[in-house]
Amino acid sequence: MSTSSVRSRRSRWLRVMGLTLSGLLVAVCAAFFFMIGTDAGLRLLRDAVRAYGGKVLQVGAVHGRLLGHFELDDVQYTGADGTRVFLGRIQVDWAPAALLRQRLDIRAVDLSRLNIDVASTHRRSVMVPPRLPLRLPLGVKITSLEVRDLTIHRPRATPLHLDSVRFGGSWIGSTLRIDRLSTRWPRIGALTLKGQLQTLTAGLRIRNLQLTGPGNMTVSGLLGYLHSASNLQVTWKNLRWPLVTGGKQLVTDLTGQAHLTGSLSHYQVILQAKCRVLEKSLTLTASGSGDQRQAHIDAMTLDAGPGGRATASGDAFWKPQRGANLVVRLDGLNPALFLPTVSGQINGQAHIDVRFQNGVPESSFIVDIVRSHLRH
């Protein structure tokens, strides 16, 4: 066989292979576009989820196409820990062309009748921020997201129901912006959160995160993960206690600041605040430290000026048992601060021990009162 004949046959095989591969590529592209670009493709994906989703994921009726605007009804998800999620309807409107700029641009998301049933085996450590990735594969912008009729069922707790939750923001590079996160909390009223976070290897850089509701609170600084360093400044003004509306407020005009340093596994806190208790002005200062199980109060002082002073030190703990052990000293404290019909001066010291058993507080105390007088 001549060299030219071998070359001719090899050339024909290469052409055949090239045409075959090209045909397969066109077929794959056509199938992909059919799946994401047509109503029938979305229904076919729904049927695949029904067939292979098992008890983990199921979807009811679908409308529209993935490439643009679509709706899903009766979405059900069951997690490995037993947590169950039911979503009556989800409507999504997004801009596929933004993917060419490596952006996921979601114009609107509407979630209706969202029920979350948290499994009784679900546990999370307190005071530990979620470890976020440094950045997402694509920049994400959500212009408008609304969750309507949200109910969260928690083990051994009253279900939490929110009529509406609204969000708008973005996560581009390492910057996470919260343009708005708002809702109406039961018995408290409207709450709005906005600000900016930067994801770091060891934690989150918080830039002017503002919570507005019954008063205003602002958080800035570095929030490290569990064993990483934190340096947070928290300020607040015009807070009240109780937070619930409709009743008499014991504490009003609460304004102050707190500085947290160290790590969340071992932190230190310094606090200064002013407030009004039953219309009487008070100043509060405190310093202490803590970890994931307990907090130690080095010194806490409640100064009422002419109404006297109370100082306290001790421990509060929540793992494995909730409770507190405090030593409180009273110096000329006027009980009218808390009991308007009683006045006078109280001097002395109290040792208070509180433990919670099955959610019920059990307390004991020793009180030593000296050189005091009361008037009714």
Side-chain angles (χ1 to χ4, degrees), residues 178-224:
I178 303 173
D179 295 326
R180 68 184 181 280
L181 175 60
S182 61
T183 188
R184 290 193 65 85
W185 203 266
R187 302 184 63 199
I188 293 178
L191 295 175
T192 301
L193 181 70
K194 64 179 181 179
Q196 184 172 301
L197 309 175
Q198 181 183 4
T199 55
L200 305 173
T201 302
L204 300 172
R205 176 75 63 184
I206 303 175
R207 293 189 172 93
N208 202 32
L209 189 65
Q210 299 178 21
L211 176 64
T212 304
N216 300 278
M217 181 178 291
T218 302
V219 181
S220 297
L222 176 64
L223 177 61

Side-chain angles (χ1 to χ4, degrees), residues 170-299:
S170 61
W171 189 345
I172 298 175
S174 62
T175 301
L176 197 163
R177 283 187 51 183
I178 303 173
D179 295 326
R180 68 184 181 280
L181 175 60
S182 61
T183 188
R184 290 193 65 85
W185 203 266
R187 302 184 63 199
I188 293 178
L191 295 175
T192 301
L193 181 70
K194 64 179 181 179
Q196 184 172 301
L197 309 175
Q198 181 183 4
T199 55
L200 305 173
T201 302
L204 300 172
R205 176 75 63 184
I206 303 175
R207 293 189 172 93
N208 202 32
L209 189 65
Q210 299 178 21
L211 176 64
T212 304
N216 300 278
M217 181 178 291
T218 302
V219 181
S220 297
L222 176 64
L223 177 61
Y225 296 128
L226 182 57
H227 300 294
S228 303
S230 294
N231 191 337
L232 281 179
Q233 188 75 27
V234 183
T235 60
W236 58 89
K237 61 182 180 180
N238 299 327
L239 296 182
R240 66 174 189 255
W241 185 263
L243 292 173
V244 297
T245 59
K248 184 175 180 60
Q249 304 302 317
L250 176 64
V251 180
T252 58
D253 300 331
L254 179 58
T255 299
Q257 61 182 1
H259 188 202
L260 184 147
T261 56
S263 67
L264 295 184
S265 59
H266 187 72
Y267 55 88
Q268 297 80 43
V269 178
I270 298 175
L271 180 148
Q272 297 175 325
K274 294 181 178 181
C275 65
R276 295 182 66 83
V277 176
L278 297 178
E279 304 303 322
K280 296 176 178 64
S281 298
L282 300 177
T283 300
L284 174 67
T285 60
S287 62
S289 59
D291 54 31
Q292 293 297 293
R293 295 178 175 270
Q294 62 182 356
H296 176 71
I297 303 171
D298 296 326

Side-chain angles (χ1 to χ4, degrees), residues 41-258:
L42 181 59
R43 290 193 295 272
L44 189 60
L45 286 173
R46 184 270 317 273
D47 294 340
V49 170
R50 287 180 174 177
Y52 300 105
K55 295 182 179 180
V56 176
L57 180 64
Q58 286 296 312
V59 179
V62 298
H63 312 277
R65 52 182 183 161
L66 285 180
L67 203 62
H69 177 89
F70 62 90
E71 300 177 9
L72 308 177
D73 293 342
D74 300 331
V75 179
Q76 300 180 58
Y77 167 79
T78 303
D81 64 350
T83 295
R84 293 177 297 175
V85 178
F86 173 79
L87 180 59
R89 169 168 290 191
I90 175 173
Q91 302 179 66
V92 179
D93 184 23
W94 65 294
L99 293 175
L100 300 176
R101 306 191 306 272
Q102 293 187 318
R103 296 283 177 88
L104 178 59
D105 188 353
I106 301 175
R107 292 186 286 244
V109 179
D110 189 279
L111 309 176
S112 303
R113 305 190 311 280
L114 176 58
N115 265 273
I116 302 175
D117 192 351
V118 181
S120 58
T121 56
H122 183 79
R123 293 288 185 270
R124 282 200 62 178
S125 298
V126 295
M127 296 178 61
V128 179
R131 184 175 290 272
L132 301 178
L134 286 176
R135 60 184 63 229
L136 299 179
L138 298 174
V140 178
K141 178 182 178 183
I142 301 176
T143 303
S144 175
L145 182 151
E146 182 174 6
V147 182
R148 292 181 288 126
D149 193 10
L150 167 64
T151 304
I152 301 176
H153 299 271
R154 299 161 294 173
R156 299 177 296 279
T158 302
L160 171 64
H161 179 80
L162 301 176
D163 292 332
S164 175
V165 179
R166 292 185 172 91
F167 172 80
S170 61
W171 189 345
I172 298 175
S174 62
T175 301
L176 197 163
R177 283 187 51 183
I178 303 173
D179 295 326
R180 68 184 181 280
L181 175 60
S182 61
T183 188
R184 290 193 65 85
W185 203 266
R187 302 184 63 199
I188 293 178
L191 295 175
T192 301
L193 181 70
K194 64 179 181 179
Q196 184 172 301
L197 309 175
Q198 181 183 4
T199 55
L200 305 173
T201 302
L204 300 172
R205 176 75 63 184
I206 303 175
R207 293 189 172 93
N208 202 32
L209 189 65
Q210 299 178 21
L211 176 64
T212 304
N216 300 278
M217 181 178 291
T218 302
V219 181
S220 297
L222 176 64
L223 177 61
Y225 296 128
L226 182 57
H227 300 294
S228 303
S230 294
N231 191 337
L232 281 179
Q233 188 75 27
V234 183
T235 60
W236 58 89
K237 61 182 180 180
N238 299 327
L239 296 182
R240 66 174 189 255
W241 185 263
L243 292 173
V244 297
T245 59
K248 184 175 180 60
Q249 304 302 317
L250 176 64
V251 180
T252 58
D253 300 331
L254 179 58
T255 299
Q257 61 182 1

